[in-house]
Amino acid sequence: MSETKVPYKIYLEESEMPKSWYNLRADMKNKPAPLVNPGTGKPLTAEELTPIFCEELVAQELDETTPFIEIPEEIRSFYKMYRPSPLVRAYCLEEKLQTPAKIYYKFEGNNTSGSHKLNSAIAQAYYAKKQGLKGVTTETGAGQWGTALSMACAYLGLDCKVFMVKVSYEQKPFRREVMRTYGASVVPSPSETTDVGKKILAEHPGTTGSLGCAISEAVEAAVKNPGYRYVLGSVLNQVLLHQSVIGLETKTALDKYGIKPDVIIGCAGGGSNLGGLIAPFMGEKLRGEADYRIIAVEPASCPSFTRGTFAYDFCDTGMICPLAKMYTLGSSFIPSANHAGGLRFHGMSTILSQLYHDGYMEAVSVEQTSVFEAAEQFARVEGILPAPESSHAIRVAIDEALKCKETGEEKTIVFGLTGTGYFDLVAYEQYNNGEMTDVIPTDEDIAASVAKLPKVE
Ligand SMILES: *Cc1c(COP(=O)(O)O)cnc(C)c1O
């Protein structure tokens, strides 16, 4: 099909929206390593997981053989309020860069929470409701997950307790108010409301917190309150499963115009948007049906893939969560106050970790000043004000497009634009004032936290 026929935005009909999520693990020969009980050193069973997580989500977490899992009708109806999300051809950016590359982005910021996280929030809240629970507890970094979960809980009439990483709580008071407007209670983490929070505060007075700390607190709050379970916005297999809706829609949209991407790029915090975006493409790659270059982009301040170790580690700073085999900087690693709050996690999805380990994808790290430079360039030509997290993918998409300019290659680049940056204006202000700096951990910093990895195997 001739290229001029590709519209600025490729939308799908309601009837073309996915009816099932795609479980990438079904096509992986080397399955991701199982979650392990830190007490026994043995893989966690469903019985051990159900006091923490909702039953149906535990089943999804442990299912590594079913390729397609039906999306319940109620969740599909909710998706229809804000999906399908547009796949945009970045004609204006291509023009500005004078690149022969064809750039597409899947825009997930078209809902009030402003990110892809709502795709999993509604699924997790739905299963909690179905189980007859009173409410859920969670952590939030930059606030996008907490906001998404608040929206989903409000819709279903569930109580929602959010532990928000302190640096974001302070930098983003408006995020907090959106969550409260949707009925959630929001506590800055580490807090004095949990034992683990008190312990972390005693050991690191004045800490600005981390996702790892907030996870510990939220898990403790779930286990101690009857009728509550803990839900997590990234990292877990179930979250990547729900986020596959991003990739499935992207693939359907590209297929409509006979477009085959060469490079697929996404930012990686815990790996959920990237895992979701690449799912059907990686499936083809694993089955030997097609090949794609897949690039994970992470902040230089929290470089789990590029400078981490592939090993079992705690998912949380308080060391009360299960152990996951992943690329990690060590659960005691507390990243500098980088503005991409959603990318400040020390570990990475076990699925993506295994795929990276097996050479199916690449990873690069980028510094935040160059990320904001890309964000501004993008905003000025494409109109959308991108989230700092998303802008990591923009940075590398632009870099790849500029390489094409040098070589004359007409590559097709697809990247995930995970959300909008309206709540990140303190960061934009710093950048605009020329006050933003790049804080990169030293090898000694990383070695110190990696030395504390738990001994497993
Ligand atoms: C949370 C978040 C991310 C990173 O999380 P992943 O699980 O790695 O996808 C990226 N972008 C935005 C806008 C986010 O809110």
Side-chain angles (χ1 to χ4, degrees):
M1 197 166 289
S2 93
E3 119 125 23
T4 49
K5 294 237 176 85
V6 179
Y8 270 72
K9 285 184 185 168
I10 309 179
Y11 277 107
L12 301 179
E13 302 295 327
E14 252 177 50
S15 61
E16 293 171 307
M17 287 173 67
K19 297 188 177 55
S20 300
W21 292 302
Y22 167 57
N23 182 9
L24 183 54
R25 284 167 290 169
D27 283 309
M28 290 171 70
K29 274 192 213 82
N30 292 339
K31 306 287 184 197
L35 293 175
V36 156
N37 180 329
T40 62
K42 298 237 158 59
L44 276 162
T45 60
E47 293 69 42
E48 289 171 304
L49 286 166
T50 43
I52 306 176
F53 298 109
C54 305
E55 283 155 23
E56 202 130 358
L57 293 167
V58 168
Q60 292 180 356
E61 190 62 29
L62 299 177
D63 186 338
E64 52 182 37
T65 53
T66 313
F68 290 97
I69 295 177
E70 196 184 330
I71 308 174
E73 187 59 47
E74 293 86 339
I75 300 176
R76 277 162 55 197
S77 316
F78 186 89
Y79 279 170
K80 283 176 194 163
M81 290 199 295
Y82 68 100
R83 308 199 69 81
S85 70
L87 181 72
V88 184
R89 172 75 186 266
Y91 282 116
C92 304
L93 180 63
E94 289 169 21
E95 173 72 28
K96 178 79 188 172
L97 298 174
Q98 289 289 299
T99 173
K102 301 177 181 71
I103 308 173
Y104 294 84
Y105 56 90
K106 180 71 168 164
F107 180 47
E108 290 292 319
N110 255 342
N111 67 79
T112 298
S113 72
S115 83
H116 65 287
K117 297 215 170 62
L118 196 54
N119 301 332
S120 185
I122 186 62
Q124 298 194 46
Y126 167 81
Y127 292 117
K129 180 77 182 176
K130 201 173 155 214
Q131 196 176 320
L133 298 174
K134 252 195 268 174
V136 290
T137 68
T138 199
E139 79 297 328
T140 196
Q144 287 96 323
W145 168 244
T147 311
L149 190 67
S150 306
M151 286 176 71
C153 286
Y155 181 77
L156 295 166
L158 279 171
D159 187 34
C160 182
K161 281 194 213 305
V162 181
F163 290 87
M164 185 171 188
V165 176
K166 194 178 277 168
V167 60
S168 303
Y169 186 91
E170 286 162 2
Q171 281 177 356
K172 301 181 181 183
F174 300 135
R175 261 278 171 221
R176 182 179 78 213
E177 290 318 312
V178 179
M179 287 186 255
R180 292 178 58 200
T181 302
Y182 282 97
S185 60
V186 188
V187 182
S189 168
S191 77
E192 299 280 350
T193 69
T194 63
D195 293 340
V196 65
K198 285 181 203 156
K199 185 162 168 269
I200 292 166
L201 282 173
E203 283 168 13
H204 305 272
T207 174
T208 50
S210 71
L211 271 180
C213 297
I215 293 173
S216 303
E217 292 206 86
V219 171
E220 184 182 321
V223 174
K224 286 190 180 159
N225 286 298
Y228 283 79
R229 289 294 183 282
Y230 167 68
V231 294
L232 179 59
S234 183
V235 187
L236 294 176
N237 299 333
Q238 57 188 276
V239 184
L240 269 74
L241 175 73
H242 307 147
Q243 295 297 356
S244 68
V245 67
I246 303 173
L248 293 164
E249 282 183 9
T250 302
K251 181 119 190 7
T252 306
L254 291 173
D255 285 350
K256 273 175 105 158
Y257 289 89
I259 303 158
K260 193 182 157 298
D262 298 295
V263 191
I264 304 171
I265 300 166
C267 61
S272 76
N273 86 82
L274 179 64
L277 173 67
I278 66 174
F281 302 98
M282 184 59 90
E284 290 187 328
K285 190 164 165 150
L286 289 166
R287 296 190 301 270
E289 297 164 8
D291 198 13
Y292 305 99
R293 246 187 98 201
I294 292 171
I295 309 175
V297 189
E298 55 187 16
S301 61
C302 194
S304 321
F305 271 134
T306 51
R307 295 175 68 196
T309 301
F310 189 42
Y312 268 103
D313 191 13
F314 289 95
C315 292
D316 63 323
T317 312
M319 302 195 218
I320 59 173
C321 281
L323 299 171
K325 189 170 179 191
M326 57 187 176
Y327 278 85
T328 179
L329 296 163
S331 67
S332 60
F333 181 82
I334 297 192
S336 67
N338 177 290
H339 286 292
L343 305 181
R344 297 182 75 222
F345 183 61
H346 64 272
M348 187 55 64
S349 141
T350 59
I351 297 176
L352 295 188
S353 293
Q354 188 65 49
L355 291 168
Y356 179 66
H357 188 70
D358 291 341
Y360 287 102
M361 51 187 272
E362 305 164 31
V364 293
S365 73
V366 289
E367 293 172 14
Q368 68 173 350
T369 46
S370 79
V371 165
F372 276 82
E373 187 194 324
E376 226 166 61
Q377 194 173 11
F378 180 84
R380 288 178 189 182
V381 290
E382 288 291 322
I384 296 169
L385 182 73
E389 291 88 349
S390 322
S391 306
H392 286 67
I394 299 176
R395 170 76 272 161
V396 173
I398 290 178
D399 291 345
E400 288 294 322
L402 291 175
K403 277 184 214 159
C404 289
K405 186 174 171 176
E406 274 169 30
T407 61
E409 285 172 292
E410 294 183 23
K411 283 189 185 158
T412 297
I413 299 169
V414 174
F415 73 90
L417 188 70
T418 50
T420 46
Y422 302 116
F423 291 105
D424 301 286
L425 294 170
V426 171
Y428 275 99
E429 179 187 30
Q430 250 190 31
Y431 177 74
N432 291 330
N433 289 345
E435 290 160 358
M436 182 172 277
T437 54
D438 296 308
V439 184
I440 300 169
T442 64
D443 288 343
E444 290 72 35
D445 293 338
I446 295 175
S449 54
V450 163
K452 292 187 212 148
L453 286 178
K455 304 276 172 285
V456 180
E457 288 162 330

